[in-house]
Structures are given as C-alpha cells and as structure tokens.
Amino acid sequence: MSYITKEINGKEYTFDVATLNIKLVTYGGFYGTDIRVDVKVKCNNNEDEFSVELCYPMGDAYDYYSEMDYSDLAEIFGEPAEEIESDFSAWYDKHSDKLEKDYVNLFIDEYFWEEEEPFQEMVLDELLSDKSDNKDELITLIVSDADEITTIETDEDFMYIPDFMDDETTDEEFENILEYRKGYPCDSWGALKDYESFKIIVNKYARFEVEMYLSKYAACNYEVGVGWGNIFEYANEMLSKFLSREDIKTIKDLKDYLANNENRILLED
C-alpha cells in the first residue's frame, strides 16, 4: 500500500494505491514485457478497483539463465548439466516457456512487490494518462460535492440543432418558432452521434451526462443557418453564463440543479 500525491487541476490529491495482482500478458524480453496489474485505489473517501497493462523493460531471460551455474539448472529440470552446457541455446529453446514465465515472476517478486511504492506510482501515472481507458473512472474518485466549480465545458466539438433560423425568417415567424431547440452531439465530420446527451466536464475531472437546449435567441445570434454548426466555444461560453444565472457555485449546486430540472441545461445568451 502506498500513499501518492498528485496535482490535478491545480489541487493536490492523495491516492492510496494497493496492488492486488500482477500477471504476465506477453513476454518481450529486453524490449519490453507486457503485464496486467490490478490495483485498488482510494481517494477522497472513495475507492474502486482498476486494471491496467504496462510494458516494462525486464531484461532478457536468456541472458539471466545463461549466467547461472549449469548444475543449478540441472537440479531444477532433472537434466544432466553437461547436456545443458554443450548446447545451451537448444536447451533454452526446449524450456523457453517455463523459463520466461519463471523469470518474469522472479522479477515481479524482487522489484514490484519488494519495492512497491515506485511501481504503484508508475501504475497510477498510467491510469491517469490521457490514453488510459480508466482515466474518467479514476478521476471521479477525487470529486467532492463541496468543490467550487472553476471550469465547465462540453466534451463535444460540434452540436446539431434540428430546428434552425436562416436569413429569410421574418420577425413574426421567429416569434412563433419553438422557444428552445434541443442540441444533439455530432462528430467533427458532421455526423450525428448515436446518443442524445452531452458529457459536461467540470473542473476538468467531474463528468455529467446531460441534455442541452439552446434558446432560439442564442441560435439566432449565432446564425446557425442550415442547422449544422461548430458551436463548441459558444456553448462553453453559455455554460459559464448558465452557472452565474442559476447561482451554481459548487459541484453539489450543479447536482441539485440537474436533479430538479430533469438533467437538462438551457443555454442562453
């Protein structure tokens, strides 16, 4: 068990990391061996279990065994030392699966379990890296309802607005159109995604799935035109205004608002 401090979004958090299991995935010798590590992580009175694969330069099993006393190898495998010594390469190839597995387990016992803290920090760094599939789940451990909201943004780059304004719309038509338009996430190529909710990221770590609506006046001001538009920056600006308008200061305030408003956010300019 190790206590590791990391700074995230300008604030320090202490992670309690305990290794649960380490298994060999693929032996790669000097160029890197893939291992699967299961850990339990605690932070901010929350805890969860995670798995991560690491590629670690463990050295070469062939070199390790070639430097051993052949009589020791003979005793382990019940074969004559002379046979091992006469053609070590052939003997190694014959027993390579067991030798490599034993070598990895020995390496793990000596360097990962005995020197636990450096290894666990390496695992935590891997879990926190942008390429990690576990990053979102791990980061949620640090969320506290009392945290003051400093940043809020949508995880999407594009939004689709089915009903839209154009330059031909008269004032009368404008007043009669729907008051709010629902926004749908779409990817950078303009293709509508297969879900209707947006992922809102608060303080760069807390994530909320919400429905978002754009007021017709905001849509008109942005000149959505034919309906497809990159309104990412505009939406983020209106999200900040939403916090101010609803007097939302902490994560708990936001949770309460979403609970009382069917998980919907209205973006107004």
Side-chain angles (χ1 to χ4, degrees):
M1 183 178 297
S2 301
Y3 294 96
I4 302 166
T5 300
K6 295 290 181 183
E7 183 176 303
I8 300 174
N9 196 30
K11 185 176 179 180
E12 286 193 345
Y13 295 89
T14 298
F15 293 88
D16 179 358
V17 184
T19 303
L20 303 177
N21 196 20
I22 305 173
K23 289 184 178 180
L24 170 66
V25 177
T26 306
Y27 174 74
F30 181 80
Y31 297 100
T33 294
D34 294 326
I35 55 174
R36 178 184 177 89
V37 186
D38 302 324
V39 293
K40 177 182 287 186
V41 182
K42 298 180 182 179
C43 186
N44 224 23
N45 295 320
N46 301 312
E47 67 176 68
D48 204 348
E49 294 183 6
F50 302 93
S51 295
V52 64
E53 284 195 12
L54 296 176
C55 184
Y56 195 90
M58 291 185 178
D60 194 88
Y62 182 95
D63 293 341
Y64 174 79
Y65 288 107
S66 67
E67 296 174 0
M68 287 183 62
D69 192 311
Y70 293 134
S71 62
D72 292 335
L73 294 175
E75 184 178 345
I76 295 172
F77 287 88
E79 297 175 349
E82 295 78 9
E83 179 182 324
I84 299 174
E85 185 174 6
S86 64
D87 193 345
F88 179 80
S89 294
W91 178 84
Y92 180 87
D93 290 341
K94 177 182 176 183
H95 299 288
S96 60
D97 288 345
K98 174 174 173 50
L99 290 169
E100 289 168 1
K101 183 177 180 181
D102 289 348
Y103 172 76
V104 170
N105 289 335
L106 179 65
F107 191 99
I108 288 173
D109 289 340
E110 285 192 6
Y111 294 97
F112 294 163
W113 291 110
E114 294 300 323
E115 300 179 8
E116 214 171 357
E117 184 171 339
F119 174 67
Q120 289 178 334
E121 184 165 9
M122 181 175 67
V123 172
L124 181 62
D125 287 340
E126 183 70 19
L127 287 169
L128 288 169
S129 70
D130 290 335
K131 64 181 181 180
S132 171
D133 294 333
N134 299 289
K135 183 176 181 180
D136 288 357
E137 288 75 12
L138 178 65
I139 292 298
T140 58
L141 295 183
I142 74 175
V143 175
S144 170
D145 284 355
D147 286 352
E148 184 175 339
I149 297 177
T150 57
T151 61
I152 183 171
E153 59 188 7
T154 174
D155 194 36
E156 311 301 332
D157 289 340
F158 285 75
M159 181 187 296
Y160 172 58
I161 311 297
D163 298 318
F164 54 85
M165 288 290 300
D166 57 39
D167 293 337
E168 306 300 322
T169 303
T170 66
D171 291 344
E172 182 179 3
E173 289 172 328
F174 177 72
E175 290 303 324
N176 289 331
I177 61 177
L178 294 174
E179 183 67 22
Y180 307 126
R181 292 176 174 77
K182 186 173 183 179
Y184 294 85
C186 59
D187 62 26
S188 57
W189 297 102
L192 193 64
K193 293 191 175 180
D194 58 358
Y195 54 89
E196 299 180 359
S197 61
F198 289 83
K199 182 181 291 184
I200 299 300
I201 306 174
V202 177
N203 291 355
K204 302 188 185 303
Y205 55 73
R207 283 161 166 73
F208 299 89
E209 295 288 341
V210 303
E211 291 185 352
M212 289 210 302
Y213 293 78
L214 193 70
S215 74
K216 66 180 182 181
Y217 297 97
C220 181
N221 289 341
Y222 186 74
E223 298 179 344
V224 174
V226 296
W228 293 99
N230 180 353
I231 64 171
F232 176 66
E233 293 182 3
Y234 188 45
N236 288 339
E237 179 183 343
M238 286 188 287
L239 275 172
S240 296
K241 292 181 178 180
F242 154 75
L243 294 179
S244 176
R245 183 176 72 245
E246 301 296 335
D247 195 30
I248 296 174
K249 294 183 172 61
T250 66
I251 288 179
K252 183 179 185 306
D253 293 340
L254 179 59
K255 286 182 176 179
D256 290 344
Y257 177 89
L258 293 175
N260 293 328
N261 289 273
E262 300 180 313
N263 220 40
R264 296 176 176 176
I265 290 179
L266 173 64
L267 302 178
E268 294 184 279
D269 196 342

